[in-house]
Amino acid sequence: MMISAEGYKSMHENDSIDELIAARKQLVGELEQLEKIVRDTDRTDESWNEGPGPDVRYHMTLTYLVQICELLWTRVSKEVSWDE
């Protein structure tokens, strides 16, 4: 079962920059794995028999990545002085 993008974002709202970076890395890793499955025209991977399918998981993982990047951008903007 997948959660909404807003639900995912709210789970990470209080994360530190390091935690957000770790979540971003995890999502990118998941995307790389899913890309191999989704882009394969053969569709024999067993994950196509699961629900939600890899195409839906890929889409949602991309959406989660956007949420994490928004949180990371906001957090870095607040905590890091660009004038130094």
Side-chain angles (χ1 to χ4, degrees):
M1 176 187 217
M2 305 205 74
I3 62 172
S4 70
E6 295 80 14
Y8 184 84
K9 187 174 184 177
S10 70
M11 288 174 39
H12 293 279
E13 284 180 336
N14 296 318
D15 286 2
S16 69
I17 290 175
D18 290 336
E19 290 169 325
L20 292 170
I21 290 170
R24 185 195 63 205
K25 286 180 182 179
Q26 178 185 5
L27 290 168
V28 169
E30 289 176 29
L31 286 168
E32 289 172 346
Q33 291 176 347
L34 287 166
E35 284 167 351
K36 293 175 187 174
I37 298 167
V38 171
R39 300 195 73 221
D40 186 358
T41 57
D42 157 333
R43 309 251 183 207
T44 58
D45 191 281
E46 290 183 21
S47 62
W48 286 104
N49 298 324
E50 302 169 6
D55 53 341
V56 173
R57 292 195 324 265
Y58 183 76
H59 182 265
M60 289 307 298
T61 304
L62 280 174
T63 305
Y64 298 158
L65 180 60
V66 169
Q67 301 301 317
I68 286 295
C69 287
E70 286 178 357
L71 287 170
L72 188 56
W73 182 86
T74 300
R75 186 69 40 81
V76 169
S77 296
K78 288 180 182 177
E79 294 185 18
V80 175
S81 172
W82 299 105
D83 296 331
E84 294 179 1

